[in-house]
Amino acid sequence: MVKFTGFKIFFVYLLVLFFFFSGACAYRHGAPERSIPGGSQDIRVPMFKNLSQEVGIETSFTNALIDEISQSRVAQVNPQSEVEVLGTIESVQYFPLGKKTIGEIGSDQMVLATDYRVVIVMEMVVKKHLDDKVLWADKFTGERTFSASQVSSPIASSANPLYNLSAKRRNIAELAQDLVA
């Protein structure tokens, strides 16, 4: 039988404490503090500019950025802040991926896309509002693939437009969250 002396118990206790606290220190040193360029504690987030043909998507991007700033606690969103982040959605493009032949009309075959890839290009600029001094700027590109609505009848002439619209909107909103994170 092993006999534990006071010294051995104390040593084991110190060893456990060392491993417990060293992990916390490593996490603290391994993850640098995040901050707004220029060191501001608050930031203004005006509505994104939308240069694409997709109407209304600027709201998804603006809300995603506000949520990311709030959840990360990097800064406070403040409409009176002197530092602002300006977002611009430069383009949204759709590319058909898979194709499916579903029937013939006369001598022509009906071919539908089975999947689409959406590619979004956006730019963000952090600057001081009063003197327009740019503190940081970068461009981001994101993409996502989604299934098109499927037509099962060869006599149908179009796919479900409501599904296509909601799939586009859902994927754009998810891309907005990915791009601003």
Side-chain angles (χ1 to χ4, degrees), residues 130-151:
L130 299 175
D131 61 2
D132 283 339
K133 179 182 176 188
V134 174
L135 303 173
W136 174 85
D138 207 350
K139 251 186 199 185
F140 302 95
T141 301
E143 65 180 69
R144 201 174 222 26
T145 302
F146 65 95
S147 297
S149 61
Q150 303 297 311
V151 177

Side-chain angles (χ1 to χ4, degrees), residues 13 41 43 46 50 80 174:
Y13 178 73
Q41 298 300 314
I43 192 161
N50 183 5
Q80 280 77 37
E174 289 172 2

Side-chain angles (χ1 to χ4, degrees), residues 49-74:
K49 289 182 185 174
N50 183 5
L51 305 180
S52 76
Q53 297 297 314
E54 286 292 326
V55 178
I57 65 171
E58 60 274 9
T59 305
S60 295
F61 281 83
T62 305
N63 289 340
L65 181 59
I66 290 170
D67 289 346
E68 180 66 24
I69 292 169
S70 298
Q71 289 175 4
S72 68
R73 295 189 172 124
V74 171

Side-chain angles (χ1 to χ4, degrees), residues 73-124:
R73 295 189 172 124
V74 171
Q76 295 290 321
V77 177
N78 179 357
Q80 280 77 37
S81 176
E82 69 175 53
V83 177
E84 63 184 351
V85 58
L86 302 173
T88 304
I89 304 161
E90 294 183 352
S91 67
V92 177
Q93 295 178 308
Y94 296 96
F95 300 99
L97 295 178
K99 294 185 179 178
K100 175 180 172 183
T101 303
I102 62 165
E104 294 183 10
I105 299 178
S107 62
D108 295 330
Q109 289 185 337
M110 285 184 10
V111 178
L112 294 177
T114 58
D115 297 297
Y116 287 96
R117 180 174 62 143
V118 58
V119 178
I120 297 177
V121 178
M122 63 165 266
E123 180 181 35
M124 288 199 310

